[in-house]
Every structure is written in C-alpha cells, then in structure tokens.
Amino acid sequence: MNDMTPIQTTLKDWETDQEVRWCPGCGDYAILKAVQRTLPQLGADPANTVFVSGIGCSSRFPYYIESYGFHTIHGRAPAFATGIKLANPALDVWLVTGDGDGLSIGGNHLMHVLRRNVNMQIMLFNNEIYGLTKGQYSPTSRVGTTTPSTPLGSVDRPANPCAFALGVGARFVARGFDVSKNLPDVLKAAHAHKGAAFVEIFQNCVVYNKDVFDAFAQPKGAEDRQLWLEDGKPMLFAKETKGLALDLENLELKVVDVVDGDWQAAGVLVHNVKNRSIAHMLVELPFGRFPMALGVLYDDPRPTYEEGVADEIARATAGKNTSLARLLAKGQTWTVEAEGGHPA
C-alpha cells in the first residue's frame, strides 16, 4: 500500500513503445496485460511507480511497463528494490522474478526482503523451468522432469515458493496463474497490503515446459480442481458440493462432501487470511487429492522495514544539526598549501 494520490490512467498509459519479445503463446503476455489492466484500477501513477527485475524471461518486464524500471543482475533484484524503497519510501515498487532467479541464486535475497517486510509487491513467475537458458531444470521442477541438465529425470524435491515465503516470515502470500480472470484481484490485494506482498504466479512456458499446469489451469472442469480462497468465505469447490475441513485427529486438512448446500454441517472451514497455521496447510496440499489453493492465502500486516529505518534515523538525529557542510567544518580544519606558502 502506498500513500500516493490516485490518478486516472488507462491501459495504454502503461504500454511502452518496445516490442514485446517473448515466445508466441508464453504466459508472460497474459501476466503483462493483467498488470497493465490492474495499475489504472489502483490509481497508480507511472511517475511514482518502479518495476525491478533480475535475470530471466520474466525479468524483461520493466521494458514493457511505461514507468521507471531497473533490469538488474541475477537474483539480486530484491537488494536493488530494497535500496530504492529506502531512498524514497513513497515510490510504488514492484519486484518481478522467476523460480530460477528468485529461488536459486536469489534465494537468500528473496528471503531477506520478505523477512524484513519491505513494502513492495513481489511477483514470482513460476514455470518450473529455466526458459531463458534453454530449458534446464529449476528449483521448482518436479521429480522426474527431463531436461538437458537432467536427461534421466530430476531427482530433486522441488521447492514450494509459497511455503518458502511463509517459512521466512512473509506477511502476505498469494497464488494465481497467468490466464486466470482472478489474477487482477490477487494483484489488487497484494497492492493493498502494507509490507512485502508475495504472489506466486504459475506461468506456462510453451517451449520447454508446455502445459505443465493444465491439470488445474484448464478452463474445462476448473471448478473441480481450483479452490479460490476469499477471506470470511467457506472453502468450497466443485460447484460448492465439496469443501475443506480440519481433520482433528491428524491435524491436517481433508476433503468433505457438502449435502444440500449445508457446508456448516459438513465442517467446512471459513477462510481466515490471518490464520498462519491453516495457510501453511493450504500451500502444502498435494494436488490431485486436493484442489489447487489459489487467491490470498495469508494476509496479516506488521510494521514495515522502511518505517523502522526512518524511525531509527529520526531518533538518532533528533535535536541535532544534520547539515553535511556543518559536520565537515566542525572541529579541526587544515589548509593544504602549494609550494611558496600559498593555499592550493
């Protein structure tokens, strides 16, 4: 959330004159349009908006948004974004990264921007592959994924981006996918959160990992495979004939049938975005036995990093003259003389 006066813009105001260069059919196109459609609805001002990226297909994003932008170095976008926010807390900062950029070389930087709770929106495009460097397996690739770097199939257990975010102390965690009509609502919720807002966006790589998310992202039958979470609403799916309840014996979630719309009798949970324990359970649900949990999983704000830094500076400088010129002239001074005794 940013305390700037909203202005009126259109999608066109956020489009640049740059040729958008992703592979035809790439999910990044849909994410770009979702962001460009969302920014006017937020009342965002291009003059006060900054997009920061690292390296990867997703990291071309700043070229295609008509605002300020930094295309930085591999994995280090969170460090640049933190510096930008500290230098000018009023800026609306968006960080764009990918599963390789953000969870491999950049894993430690992503961890620190989340635990520090720097006020920005963080979009992690997860296509479960290294697309820019020709299809090697990534930290989120599934076991058995065959790539040039894993010709016999990956034996790594994949990282779970949302579980990672919760584990390092993120106060806002959400999920969406590239072509979902609900993605703008997820982005709006992230923007409204005061602090580091982490959004994992499943993104189809049509060249190296095509249709890997079809099991839940395909429109046909999506109501059976997607659970879109809303704060204060029951966790229902499959046209409200099924829901998620808490198995008290095993302290885990379970799928229950809802008869005649009576979800309360079935014990269906009501989503509470401040319940961190349930959020952990939701992000770890094995897809197949459970639907894919999407939307805002966790949202519980706390003071931001830049607020703490500003308060510390204010306390350190209270009642003091902070003029740099005065500081340099204070105390002992000397004159550097040239030959002949004249000042240099």
Side-chain angles (χ1 to χ4, degrees), residues 22 49 102 106 123 129 134 137 170 174-175 207 211 245 254-255 263 310 322 334-335:
W22 286 308
T49 303
M123 299 186 295
I129 208 75
K134 310 305 184 211
Y137 83 117
R175 267 187 189 148
V207 175
D211 301 334
K254 63 181 180 179
V255 175
W263 58 268
T322 57
W334 64 92
T335 301

Side-chain angles (χ1 to χ4, degrees), residues 210-289:
K210 186 178 180 182
D211 301 334
V212 71
F213 303 117
D214 271 7
F216 68 84
Q218 273 291 315
K220 187 176 181 180
E223 64 275 5
D224 296 328
R225 304 186 305 270
Q226 298 174 13
L227 170 62
W228 283 96
L229 298 159
E230 292 185 64
D231 190 34
K233 299 291 181 67
M235 298 183 187
L236 296 169
F237 64 102
K239 297 181 179 178
E240 301 190 354
T241 63
K242 294 183 182 295
L244 294 188
L246 185 62
D247 181 346
L248 293 175
E249 182 178 349
N250 298 302
L251 289 180
E252 62 184 14
L253 297 177
K254 63 181 180 179
V255 175
V256 294
D257 294 319
V258 177
V259 180
D260 297 328
D262 193 350
W263 58 268
Q264 291 170 307
V268 174
L269 292 171
V270 173
H271 186 43
N272 175 4
V273 292
K274 294 186 184 298
N275 191 321
R276 193 177 188 87
S277 297
I278 296 297
H280 272 285
M281 293 183 186
L282 288 167
V283 302
E284 296 282 6
L285 289 177
F287 178 72
R289 288 199 299 118

Side-chain angles (χ1 to χ4, degrees), residues 92-161:
D92 189 6
V93 177
W94 295 72
L95 194 157
V96 185
T97 186
D99 47 301
D101 181 63
L103 293 173
S104 184
I105 191 170
N108 59 330
H109 291 279
L110 184 59
M111 174 184 75
H112 294 307
V113 77
L114 290 171
R115 72 169 182 84
R116 284 172 172 154
N117 199 36
V118 186
N119 189 14
M120 65 180 72
Q121 296 73 240
I122 302 166
M123 299 186 295
L124 185 143
F125 299 6
N126 182 11
N127 56 20
E128 297 186 3
I129 208 75
Y130 277 105
L132 187 67
T133 51
K134 310 305 184 211
Q136 299 89 343
Y137 83 117
S138 86
T140 58
S141 296
R142 303 172 196 185
V143 173
T145 300
T146 302
T147 75
S149 55
T150 54
L152 300 181
S154 171
V155 297
D156 280 6
R157 279 194 63 196
N160 181 324

Side-chain angles (χ1 to χ4, degrees), residues 3-339:
D3 301 323
M4 293 181 291
T5 303
I7 70 166
Q8 288 190 343
T9 60
T10 67
L11 182 149
K12 292 290 184 183
D13 292 317
W14 295 94
E15 294 179 335
T16 70
D17 60 359
Q18 300 296 301
E19 178 187 359
V20 181
R21 300 185 65 184
W22 286 308
C23 300
C26 174
D28 287 351
Y29 285 98
I31 301 171
L32 175 64
K33 283 303 177 188
V35 172
Q36 289 173 328
R37 290 191 179 100
T38 301
L39 289 166
Q41 297 174 38
L42 298 174
D45 183 350
N48 290 316
T49 303
V50 185
F51 278 80
V52 185
S53 67
I55 296 295
C57 295
S58 63
S59 294
R60 299 188 61 81
F61 219 81
Y63 295 107
Y64 309 139
I65 298 283
E66 187 60 47
S67 69
Y68 291 101
F70 289 84
H71 188 179
T72 69
I73 53 181
H74 205 188
R76 276 67 173 184
F80 285 85
T82 298
I84 291 166
K85 194 67 181 178
L86 287 176
N88 188 349
L91 292 175
D92 189 6
V93 177
W94 295 72
L95 194 157
V96 185
T97 186
D99 47 301
D101 181 63
L103 293 173
S104 184
I105 191 170
N108 59 330
H109 291 279
L110 184 59
M111 174 184 75
H112 294 307
V113 77
L114 290 171
R115 72 169 182 84
R116 284 172 172 154
N117 199 36
V118 186
N119 189 14
M120 65 180 72
Q121 296 73 240
I122 302 166
M123 299 186 295
L124 185 143
F125 299 6
N126 182 11
N127 56 20
E128 297 186 3
I129 208 75
Y130 277 105
L132 187 67
T133 51
K134 310 305 184 211
Q136 299 89 343
Y137 83 117
S138 86
T140 58
S141 296
R142 303 172 196 185
V143 173
T145 300
T146 302
T147 75
S149 55
T150 54
L152 300 181
S154 171
V155 297
D156 280 6
R157 279 194 63 196
N160 181 324
C162 286
F164 169 85
L166 284 168
V168 301
R171 308 300 297 187
F172 180 100
V173 178
R175 267 187 189 148
F177 61 94
D178 47 15
V179 296
S180 170
K181 66 180 181 180
N182 296 327
L183 182 56
D185 290 333
V186 174
L187 297 175
K188 289 176 194 174
H191 191 267
H193 176 85
K194 188 175 183 180
F198 179 83
V199 182
E200 177 186 11
I201 305 175
F202 296 110
Q203 175 253 320
N204 187 25
C205 176
V206 295
V207 175
Y208 298 110
N209 216 18
K210 186 178 180 182
D211 301 334
V212 71
F213 303 117
D214 271 7
F216 68 84
Q218 273 291 315
K220 187 176 181 180
E223 64 275 5
D224 296 328
R225 304 186 305 270
Q226 298 174 13
L227 170 62
W228 283 96
L229 298 159
E230 292 185 64
D231 190 34
K233 299 291 181 67
M235 298 183 187
L236 296 169
F237 64 102
K239 297 181 179 178
E240 301 190 354
T241 63
K242 294 183 182 295
L244 294 188
L246 185 62
D247 181 346
L248 293 175
E249 182 178 349
N250 298 302
L251 289 180
E252 62 184 14
L253 297 177
K254 63 181 180 179
V255 175
V256 294
D257 294 319
V258 177
V259 180
D260 297 328
D262 193 350
W263 58 268
Q264 291 170 307
V268 174
L269 292 171
V270 173
H271 186 43
N272 175 4
V273 292
K274 294 186 184 298
N275 191 321
R276 193 177 188 87
S277 297
I278 296 297
H280 272 285
M281 293 183 186
L282 288 167
V283 302
E284 296 282 6
L285 289 177
F287 178 72
R289 288 199 299 118
F290 292 87
M292 179 59 70
L294 299 162
V296 179
L297 297 114
Y298 181 66
D299 183 0
D300 189 12
R302 71 176 181 190
T304 66
Y305 181 66
E306 64 272 18
E307 287 176 334
V309 171
D311 178 66
E312 189 174 67
I313 292 172
R315 286 187 284 109
T317 58
K320 298 176 182 177
N321 189 319
T322 57
S323 165
L324 179 60
R326 183 181 176 88
L327 178 64
L328 292 174
K330 184 179 179 181
Q332 293 180 335
T333 60
W334 64 92
T335 301
V336 178
E337 296 182 348
E339 290 185 22

